[in-house]
Amino acid sequence: MRKTALVSLVAALPLLATLPAQAATYKIDPAHTFATFEIDHFGASVNRGRFDKKSGTVEFDKAAKKGKVTLEIDATSINSGTPDFDKHLKTADFFNVEKHPTIRFVSDKFVYDGDKLKEVTGKLTLLGQTHPITFKANQFTCYPNPMVKTEACGGDFVAEIDRTQWGMNWGVNMGMPKKVRIIAQIEAFKQ
């Protein structure tokens, strides 16, 4: 009986290899995930800020080179390191957190160059408007995380947007740039 079962299992292995791979679900680790932005300040310096509260999930199928991302950012958690600047950033001049407390990025397209993740394209919802955005991958990998005893996937991504496309126009008439650089460092744990 055991020999028959073993022969059946060995015979079934080629069939199992042809089954489609399943996407795994990963939960964003807020301690290793950061959403930051940079904007030129009249050519003299660069204003930087980050959002301290974020959550989301990633569905990733390594074999098929496909994935989905949903990232939600609490706009009220903005932190530039300067409390007075944070207050201004929260007003209707910029993020209007009273009316739009959540920023959202959703993607269902991972673009590869061979085995290397090149970019993640999706839609960014900011100030109640949704527009396409592409994040270029500076790096991306998956590894067995010894601390949480599961696989972790993560990377460093960069995009540049024209903030006025989302209606964030304050300061443009004074010479402040429209272009904003967004840096997203993401790490997520397999569930």
Side-chain angles (χ1 to χ4, degrees), residues 95-113:
F95 289 96
N96 198 2
V97 300
E98 189 174 312
K99 190 171 179 184
H100 303 286
T102 303
I103 300 167
R104 186 169 191 180
F105 173 71
V106 177
S107 169
D108 63 1
K109 186 172 182 186
F110 286 22
V111 178
Y112 277 80
D113 182 7

Side-chain angles (χ1 to χ4, degrees), residues 113-154:
D113 182 7
D115 286 335
K116 185 177 178 185
L117 180 62
K118 182 179 169 184
E119 60 189 35
V120 175
T121 62
K123 296 190 183 241
L124 176 68
T125 301
L126 172 67
L127 297 172
Q129 297 186 42
T130 303
H131 298 287
I133 184 173
T134 298
F135 281 94
K136 304 285 183 193
N138 289 332
Q139 63 189 48
F140 177 81
T141 195
C142 295
Y143 67 96
N145 186 298
M147 305 281 282
V148 294
K149 311 270 190 266
T150 190
E151 182 180 53
C153 292

Side-chain angles (χ1 to χ4, degrees), residues 16 35 37 41 45 79 83 86 92 131 140:
L16 292 174
F37 63 88
H41 189 252
S45 61
N79 181 352
D86 293 346
H131 298 287
F140 177 81

Side-chain angles (χ1 to χ4, degrees), residues 6 32 37 57 70 91 94 112 116 119 127 132 137 143 146 151 155 166 170 181 187 189:
L6 182 59
H32 291 96
F37 63 88
T57 58
T70 301
T91 70
F94 291 102
Y112 277 80
K116 185 177 178 185
E119 60 189 35
L127 297 172
Y143 67 96
E151 182 180 53
W166 283 265
W170 194 88
R181 186 171 186 245
E187 196 158 329
F189 298 135

Side-chain angles (χ1 to χ4, degrees), residues 52-70:
D52 292 333
K53 295 180 184 174
K54 55 271 173 193
S55 63
T57 58
V58 177
E59 289 180 37
F60 183 50
D61 184 336
K62 285 185 269 188
K65 298 179 182 175
K66 292 183 179 179
K68 294 181 180 182
V69 176
T70 301

